Amino acid sequence: ACLEANAHSDLTWIQDKIFTPGCAGFSACHKGAAREAGGLNLETGMSHATLVGKASGLFPQFQLVKPSDPANSYLMIVLGHVAGPIDNKSGTMPYNSALLCVEKRRAVERWIMAGAPAN
């Protein structure tokens, strides 16, 4: 899926290959009410509404996804793709896992650069 990511910048692919298996696939993470994850539901049909234009609960000076601005999107910080104010408590995502491959992180970056459309 890493090499496949080079051809994508759409939320549908990001949802299917990143959010659903790595973020929303576990009840303790970004699924349903997501109480352990700041209420951030990344299930299919929910991720766009809960990410785009919403302030980060940990660092409200950042939007979770700021359309056309990946450097100021907390999602890119928490994925370890751009520098930002991550503390030892929050760490990078996916939780307790290696960073996503750079190709997947770049697919998310391209989606944000394109204005973070809901496609």
Side-chain angles (χ1 to χ4, degrees):
C2 287
L3 292 180
E4 181 185 340
N6 288 324
H8 291 278
S9 60
D10 55 287
L11 183 58
T12 300
W13 187 90
I14 292 166
Q15 182 70 54
D16 291 345
K17 302 295 184 178
I18 299 172
F19 293 160
T20 296
C23 308
F26 312 97
S27 60
C29 294
H30 298 288
K31 184 175 186 175
R35 286 186 181 89
E36 299 295 318
L40 181 61
N41 184 337
L42 294 180
E43 291 179 279
T44 301
M46 300 297 295
S47 56
H48 189 270
T50 59
L51 284 172
V52 179
K54 306 296 182 191
S56 164
L58 292 173
F59 302 100
Q61 69 269 32
F62 291 97
Q63 289 182 16
L64 295 173
V65 169
K66 186 172 184 180
S68 305
D69 192 356
N72 287 300
S73 295
Y74 186 68
L75 178 60
M76 297 308 299
I77 295 167
V78 79
L79 291 178
H81 196 66
V82 299
I86 294 181
D87 59 25
N88 293 333
K89 181 181 173 191
S90 59
T92 58
M93 294 290 158
Y95 180 71
N96 249 3
S97 298
L99 290 178
L100 292 174
C101 61
V102 69
E103 294 88 355
K104 286 183 179 180
R105 289 183 276 140
R106 286 181 182 150
V108 175
E109 181 180 45
R110 287 191 301 274
W111 170 66
I112 295 171
M113 280 299 297
N119 64 338

